[in-house]
């Protein structure tokens, strides 16, 4: 069975994100880019990642975020076996809070 080649990422979108300078600019851009549902899902996954990074257990995360166990598990896999994107952001936010 032949699989279609994976579509290359549209890098210009990520470059556009890097041009944003303020929280308000970022929020406005993502409000324009995403539906309310898409934004809610991304925000929830990020919140779950923060909870997991703090060592919270699934039941407590479920209560705090309303995320399903499948979402919590998916985010946990990303934290454990992903490309380190969450860790970079967490570290940089921590560093900026200390300064």
């Amino acid at each position: 069975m032949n699989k279609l080649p994976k579509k290359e990422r549209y890098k210009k979108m990520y470059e556009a994100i890097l041009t944003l300078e303020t929280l308000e600019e970022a929020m406005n851009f993502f409000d324009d880019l995403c539906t309310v549902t898409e934004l809610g899902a991304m925000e929830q996954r990020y919140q779950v990642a923060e909870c997991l990074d703090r060592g919270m257990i699934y039941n407590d995360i479920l209560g705090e975020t309303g995320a399903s166990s499948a979402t919590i598990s998916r985010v946990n896999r990303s934290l454990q076996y992903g490309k380190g994107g969450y860790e970079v952001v967490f570290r940089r936010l921590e560093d900026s809070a200390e300064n």
Side-chain angles (χ1 to χ4, degrees):
M1 178 172 160
N2 285 338
K3 287 187 175 183
L4 293 173
K6 187 174 180 180
K7 185 177 178 183
E8 184 175 332
R9 289 254 177 91
Y10 190 66
K11 294 178 183 172
K12 285 187 177 185
M13 183 193 75
Y14 298 96
E15 291 169 352
I17 292 167
L18 292 174
T19 69
L20 302 169
E21 296 179 1
T22 67
L23 178 61
E24 184 177 6
E25 285 180 355
M27 292 172 72
N28 289 340
F29 178 76
F30 280 95
D31 283 343
D32 289 346
L33 181 66
C34 302
T35 66
V36 171
T37 302
E38 291 166 336
L39 269 176
M42 288 190 296
E43 290 169 355
Q44 184 183 62
R45 287 193 299 268
Y46 185 80
Q47 188 180 11
V48 167
E50 288 178 314
C51 291
L52 288 166
D53 188 59
R54 291 194 316 260
M56 290 178 65
I57 61 171
Y58 276 41
N59 284 340
D60 292 340
I61 296 170
L62 175 66
E64 184 168 319
T65 67
S68 69
S69 60
T71 296
I72 297 168
S73 180
R74 179 184 180 277
V75 172
N76 191 46
R77 274 194 311 277
S78 293
L79 284 168
Q80 298 297 318
Y81 307 109
K83 296 186 177 184
Y86 284 118
E87 290 83 359
V88 168
V89 170
F90 293 157
R91 185 180 67 245
R92 288 184 183 160
L93 286 172
E94 186 178 310
D95 290 348
S96 69
E98 291 173 356
N99 295 329

